[in-house]
Amino acid sequence: IPVSLLDSDINLNTIFSYEQLERYNINPETLPDKVIIANRPLTYFEKYRRVLVPYVILIVSLLIFSVILLISIKKRKRISRELQKSEERFRLLTSNAKDIIFRFDFFPKEGFSYISPSIKTILGFEPEPIYNDHTILAKYLHPDSLNIFFSLSDGSFDFSKNIELQWLLPDGKTIWTEEKYQPIYDENKKLIAF
């Protein structure tokens, strides 16, 4: 069936060969918009698109990961500084307190995990030996106070009350201390420290 070139449904475009445009030194940008240029060489991106796209995705992913990592490191450093300041304030507070502040752990190892330096002023003991052997203190308790002291760990002690303990110190002095214990329980309601 013959087709007329004047048929309005047909859209005719002029086609130029890229080699001929180069041969006659014609800039393709000067040609009309609807012109088709045949045999145009592929651009670098068109030629290596299958190789470049995964690498670009990888590089962008690494950059995003690096930014997230840097933000995380900055946040961790800030939290570490805040924790250090808080710990310094705690140490200053406990070092200057007139009371003996301590933590005695039952698990994983029985013993003191912290004793304030005021123990030296009040009872005359350096904290370091007590860290190594927590039974040192029991040696200087009056027998009546020793029973109260042992009731702390067996679960029969009423932690809501203050207690008074009598100490027989190495220098021969007898002193009384009023003590308040705060129990610390695990998720199974087992006493793990005070």
Side-chain angles (χ1 to χ4, degrees):
I1 301 176
V3 178
S4 167
L5 292 178
L6 299 176
D7 191 348
S8 63
D9 291 340
I10 297 176
N11 188 6
L12 296 176
N13 290 331
T14 309
I15 300 174
F16 290 96
S17 170
Y18 183 81
E19 289 88 7
Q20 295 303 320
L21 292 173
E22 286 286 311
R23 180 175 169 198
Y24 294 106
N25 203 17
I26 299 173
N27 185 353
E29 303 294 324
T30 60
L31 300 174
D33 288 339
K34 293 192 176 190
V35 170
I36 298 172
I37 300 174
N39 303 323
R40 182 189 302 245
L42 296 174
T43 64
Y44 185 80
F45 180 75
E46 291 170 334
K47 192 173 183 180
Y48 297 106
R49 177 180 18 209
R50 289 187 176 184
V51 174
L52 289 175
V53 168
Y55 280 111
V56 168
I57 291 172
L58 178 66
I59 290 170
V60 168
S61 299
L62 286 173
L63 287 172
I64 291 171
F65 177 74
S66 297
V67 167
I68 291 171
L69 190 61
L70 285 173
I71 290 170
S72 176
I73 289 170
K74 279 188 166 187
K75 186 176 180 181
R76 183 174 287 212
K77 284 182 178 180
R78 181 182 51 81
I79 290 171
S80 178
R81 282 191 306 271
E82 289 173 4
L83 180 62
Q84 186 176 8
K85 285 179 185 177
S86 176
E87 192 173 295
E88 287 170 6
R89 285 192 301 266
F90 173 76
R91 294 280 178 203
L92 182 64
L93 175 70
T94 58
S95 295
N96 294 318
K98 301 291 183 203
D99 297 326
I100 299 172
I101 301 169
F102 68 89
R103 178 181 169 128
F104 186 87
D105 295 311
F106 293 106
F107 301 101
K109 181 183 173 197
E110 192 172 282
F112 289 94
S113 56
Y114 177 76
I115 306 171
S116 62
S118 58
I119 195 166
K120 172 76 171 153
T121 309
I122 297 170
L123 296 178
F125 300 112
E126 292 290 339
E128 288 76 22
I130 299 169
Y131 284 122
N132 297 328
D133 181 11
H134 66 277
T135 62
I136 290 174
L137 290 178
K139 294 175 187 173
Y140 296 100
L141 277 172
H142 186 275
D144 294 338
S145 296
L146 194 58
N147 292 334
I148 295 170
F149 191 73
F150 285 129
S151 71
L152 292 170
S153 62
D154 67 13
S156 63
F157 184 75
D158 182 4
F159 285 102
S160 66
K161 297 179 181 177
N162 290 358
I163 62 166
E164 290 183 355
L165 296 178
Q166 184 180 6
W167 297 86
L168 307 171
L169 300 180
D171 61 4
K173 289 185 194 173
T174 299
I175 65 166
W176 287 86
T177 58
E178 181 180 17
E179 304 189 15
K180 174 68 176 163
Y181 296 101
Q182 180 62 47
I184 301 170
Y185 298 99
D186 67 5
E187 61 276 354
N188 299 322
K189 306 283 188 222
K190 182 178 180 180
L191 180 66
I192 58 169
F194 60 81

